[in-house]
Amino acid sequence: MKSTMALSRSILLTALAFGASLVACSEDNTTSSSSDGGGNSVSTPELKPLAELDAARSQLPEGLWVTADSETAYMGYALTGEIVAVSLADNKVSAFATVPAPPANTGFVTGITQSAAGDLYVAAASLDPAEYAPGIYKIPAAGGPVTTAFATDAAMNLPNGLVFDEDGNLFVTDSALGAIFKISPDGKTVTNWLTDPLLKGDVAATNPCKTVLGIPFGANGLALSRGAVYVANTDKAALIKIPINADGTPDVAVEFSTSDPATCLPLQGADGIAADADGSILVAGNGGNALVRVGTDGEATVLAKGGLFDGPASVALATLGSKKHALLTNFGLITLLSMKTPKVGLLSYGPLP
């Protein structure tokens, strides 16, 4: 696993050395309108750029969190350990915090979430624990540098998706292990909540849906909704549902929404996910360059595809101009590995119903 990822990372660093730069993003947040036939104005959902980033400076945004008041979006740069804040009033990007930066070929920073107290929690994934310590970092509401992990576990090397339950427990996916860990509110107790075949990756030569990373990459994005945990399995282009029993233990995991086994659509490269108020799940399709909504019946609908998308990694909901939008990070990793200029940054899609 380590050697394969080191190769991919080396290719990435070579791409960055070429000075790949981002074409400046517009900050236009407007949407077009049409009539519903009765004289009422209806906004047509659009995919628009919000914040400009620069891949040549290793500004590859992976994790994303939007505050409950929709005033701020936090993004994490996978390669540098930098956490930035985006003011959604004017889309200005500013430095906010840092976690230890992974040395070359050793790891990357992944998911971000926020506690009820306002602290951010950031996952650091490691390909070589001897060189870069994996774990979960807690960033105070005021920001700043953080060097000591909030929670670690010897088996949790590739933490990725993060979500809190109502009791303050933190659930974390491990993409390499195919597992979900549960961390107590004080960070002192880390347990393997569930390891399941449906959460594991699949690097078989016969699997057209596997990632370009060369290692099993299963459980990824994570969300809680209506008494169940939802998990994106990237290698299997699927959304997994795990009902939670009354005692907090996991019930039987099931494939809630799947893709065509030949084309991997519509959930190709399923990465970050977010639960909407109606119980549906939004999925950032990293490999398919798409935003997908999975309804409560498991049916998947592609909301947007192609265009400005360049490896969308995370998705979060926000209220912009009094209307609901989906915000997404454009990670651009696959484009960089192809030695092309990525379109990295923060995007919005909406308004949503």
Side-chain angles (χ1 to χ4, degrees):
M1 180 177 81
K2 176 184 173 184
S3 61
T4 304
M5 278 303 296
L7 176 59
S8 296
R9 172 68 179 231
S10 296
I11 295 173
L12 174 57
L13 294 176
T14 300
L16 291 173
F18 274 101
S21 60
L22 175 69
V23 176
C25 292
S26 165
E27 293 184 357
D28 181 7
N29 247 349
T30 59
T31 58
S32 62
S33 298
S34 59
S35 173
D36 62 1
N40 299 313
S41 178
V42 178
S43 297
T44 301
E46 292 185 88
L47 184 64
K48 288 185 171 293
L50 292 183
E52 176 183 350
L53 297 177
D54 188 353
R57 296 170 56 194
S58 299
Q59 295 176 344
L60 274 68
E62 210 284 352
L64 173 67
W65 181 260
V66 175
T67 57
D69 58 13
S70 292
E71 291 185 359
T72 307
Y74 294 101
M75 298 186 294
Y77 295 160
L79 303 185
T80 67
E82 297 172 85
I83 312 301
V84 297
V86 182
S87 168
L88 295 179
D90 55 15
N91 300 324
K92 300 300 183 183
V93 181
S94 59
F96 178 75
T98 59
V99 298
N105 306 329
T106 63
F108 40 94
V109 175
T110 53
I112 302 176
T113 193
Q114 189 173 40
S115 69
D119 302 314
L120 291 184
Y121 290 74
V122 178
S126 179
L127 307 170
D128 186 354
E131 295 295 328
Y132 181 61
I136 308 300
Y137 289 85
K138 178 181 178 179
I139 298 171
V146 176
T147 58
T148 302
F150 165 76
T152 62
D153 187 86
M156 187 176 67
N157 289 327
L158 212 70
N160 202 334
L162 308 171
V163 67
F164 278 102
D165 69 9
E166 293 182 351
D167 297 321
N169 299 297
L170 182 61
F171 288 81
V172 183
T173 57
D174 187 297
S175 299
L177 189 62
I180 301 173
F181 286 86
K182 184 178 181 179
I183 302 174
S184 62
D186 61 6
K188 295 180 179 179
T189 304
V190 181
T191 57
N192 188 323
W193 189 69
L194 178 66
T195 298
D196 191 276
L198 291 181
L199 301 180
K200 292 188 177 296
D202 179 8
V203 292
T206 54
N207 176 25
C209 303
K210 62 180 179 292
T211 72
V212 299
L213 298 177
I215 62 171
F217 216 83
N220 196 330
L222 184 64
L224 282 171
S225 180
R226 302 188 177 186
V229 172
Y230 291 86
V231 185
N233 186 315
T234 305
D235 275 348
K236 295 178 181 177
L239 186 65
I240 310 303
K241 179 180 180 180
I242 307 153
I244 303 174
N245 295 318
D247 62 358
T249 59
D251 206 332
V252 178
V254 296
E255 290 185 319
F256 184 66
S257 188
T258 58
S259 296
D260 183 287
T263 66
C264 307
L265 300 174
L267 297 173
Q268 183 180 7
D271 199 334
I273 64 176
D276 205 345
D278 63 358
S280 63
I281 305 295
L282 295 176
V283 182
N286 198 320
N289 281 325
L291 172 62
V292 182
R293 182 188 292 276
V294 178
T296 54
D297 57 0
E299 291 296 315
T301 302
V302 177
L303 300 181
K305 185 176 178 65
L308 293 174
F309 280 137
D310 192 347
S314 295
V315 58
L317 290 165
T319 301
L320 304 178
S322 77
K323 296 184 180 296
K324 182 169 62 177
H325 288 69
L327 304 192
L328 302 100
T329 53
N330 242 6
F331 191 22
L333 178 62
I334 296 174
T335 299
L336 275 175
L337 293 176
S338 302
M339 303 298 183
K340 297 177 182 178
T341 302
K343 296 180 289 189
V344 291
L346 181 65
L347 307 177
S348 73
Y349 177 79
L352 296 173

